[in-house]
Amino acid sequence: DTLSLQSFKGRITLSFVVVLIVTLILTAAVSLTYGIKRFEAYKEQTIQDKMKSAIPAVYNALYTPSPESLTDELVKISNYLYVDVNLYNISGELVATSRPEIFYDGLQGFKMSPKAYKSLALSYDGFFVDNEKIGDMTYTSSYSPISDSNGKLIGYVNLPYFLQYDNLRKELYTIAITIANIFILLLLPVILIAVLISNSITSPLAQIRNRMRIFDLKTNPEPIPYKQNDEIGDLIVEFN
């Protein structure tokens, strides 16, 4: 009968459980939100760091004599940075790429993103990041201008970053499992505490009920002992 909603004791116990559930839900929501924001911050920082490393590497590939083609040089950079590398000229046309099959298979056009070109070529922004798509797959793509030793613009470097969203899913899954385990661990202690508290509250009421059952004006009933100065104490004083 402890969890019966028809009993005062059951309602107290259920209230404790509801408070626990609401608290854990709020904790889970805050934790998941924080996890997503931290992941987004990590993604943004990673993209910026890779671009900072890519610009001088592409510059060296353009101006350092090498028997290898520019494509081969971009493949080396790609393998080093673990990200694809595309190079566009100042008109936004593809010059070289570390993944030529993506373009020659028709998965992506040979022109850079119009939004990126507008941001870099017309608005003179120094860095542009946007979400792009290949088929049904969405990825993060960053762009940055590249200049020669005299500061003259010679093109744009593009890093399509296929971020491992599995890491985000694993982190969020870990948070959810942790919250669930905390709930399971706390559920029984909370129920026990709720029962103890409800017993301490309902015990004087039970004494009043029992005394009223046997109450007889012809006898001199013993007063109900209760030392707390609260609402139940006021009721017992009146009864006594």
Side-chain angles (χ1 to χ4, degrees):
D1 293 16
T2 301
L3 292 180
S4 173
L5 290 178
Q6 296 180 351
S7 68
F8 188 45
K9 186 184 299 184
R11 290 195 293 271
I12 292 176
T13 303
L14 188 60
S15 298
F16 271 80
V17 174
V18 170
V19 169
L20 172 64
I21 293 175
V22 171
T23 301
L24 290 179
I25 289 176
L26 292 177
T27 302
V30 171
S31 300
L32 293 175
T33 302
Y34 172 75
I36 293 173
K37 287 184 177 180
R38 187 175 66 176
F39 180 80
E40 291 296 329
Y42 166 78
K43 179 183 73 172
E44 182 177 346
Q45 186 62 49
T46 300
I47 291 173
Q48 291 181 0
D49 290 344
K50 287 183 180 295
M51 183 61 78
K52 289 178 181 178
S53 300
I55 292 295
V58 173
Y59 179 87
N60 290 334
L62 286 170
Y63 290 99
T64 301
S66 172
E68 298 180 333
S69 67
L70 181 57
T71 296
D72 292 334
E73 292 293 335
L74 293 188
V75 170
K76 287 183 179 180
I77 299 172
S78 173
N79 293 334
Y80 173 72
L81 295 177
Y82 297 100
V83 65
D84 295 338
V85 182
N86 302 322
L87 178 62
Y88 297 89
N89 61 23
I90 59 176
S91 298
E93 299 169 339
L94 185 70
V95 175
T97 174
S98 62
R99 292 282 296 274
E101 63 272 14
I102 292 180
F103 296 89
Y104 289 103
D105 289 344
L107 298 176
Q108 189 170 347
F110 289 86
K111 289 274 192 178
M112 66 185 288
S113 162
K115 290 173 65 176
Y117 187 78
K118 179 180 178 181
S119 174
L120 299 178
L122 302 181
S123 300
Y124 301 103
D125 294 331
F127 187 68
F128 179 81
V129 179
D130 195 20
N131 290 327
E132 298 180 0
K133 296 186 70 173
I134 293 181
D136 295 329
M137 181 175 60
T138 302
Y139 62 94
T140 302
S141 191
S142 63
Y143 296 82
S144 183
I146 183 171
S147 304
D148 61 16
S149 58
N150 296 320
K152 181 181 178 181
L153 179 68
I154 56 176
Y156 305 98
V157 176
N158 168 229
L159 304 182
Y161 190 51
F162 300 92
L163 197 62
Q164 297 297 322
Y165 283 95
D166 288 341
N167 295 337
L168 174 61
R169 284 192 288 268
K170 288 179 181 178
E171 183 174 351
L172 298 183
Y173 177 77
T174 300
I175 293 174
I177 292 299
T178 302
I179 297 296
N181 289 335
I182 292 175
F183 173 75
I184 293 173
L185 291 174
L186 292 181
L187 182 59
L188 183 58
V190 165
I191 292 177
L192 292 176
I193 293 173
V195 170
L196 292 175
I197 293 176
S198 61
N199 283 339
S200 67
I201 294 175
T202 58
S203 178
L205 298 177
Q207 292 184 49
I208 296 176
R209 180 193 61 192
N210 294 334
R211 291 296 177 86
M212 291 183 68
R213 284 178 179 175
I214 61 174
F215 181 75
D216 188 353
L217 289 174
K218 297 179 181 180
T219 64
N220 186 19
E222 295 182 3
I224 299 174
Y226 191 80
K227 298 181 179 181
Q228 300 296 328
N229 186 20
D230 52 23
E231 289 82 356
I232 296 179
D234 294 338
L235 179 61
I236 291 176
V237 168
E238 292 297 327
F239 179 80
N240 291 336

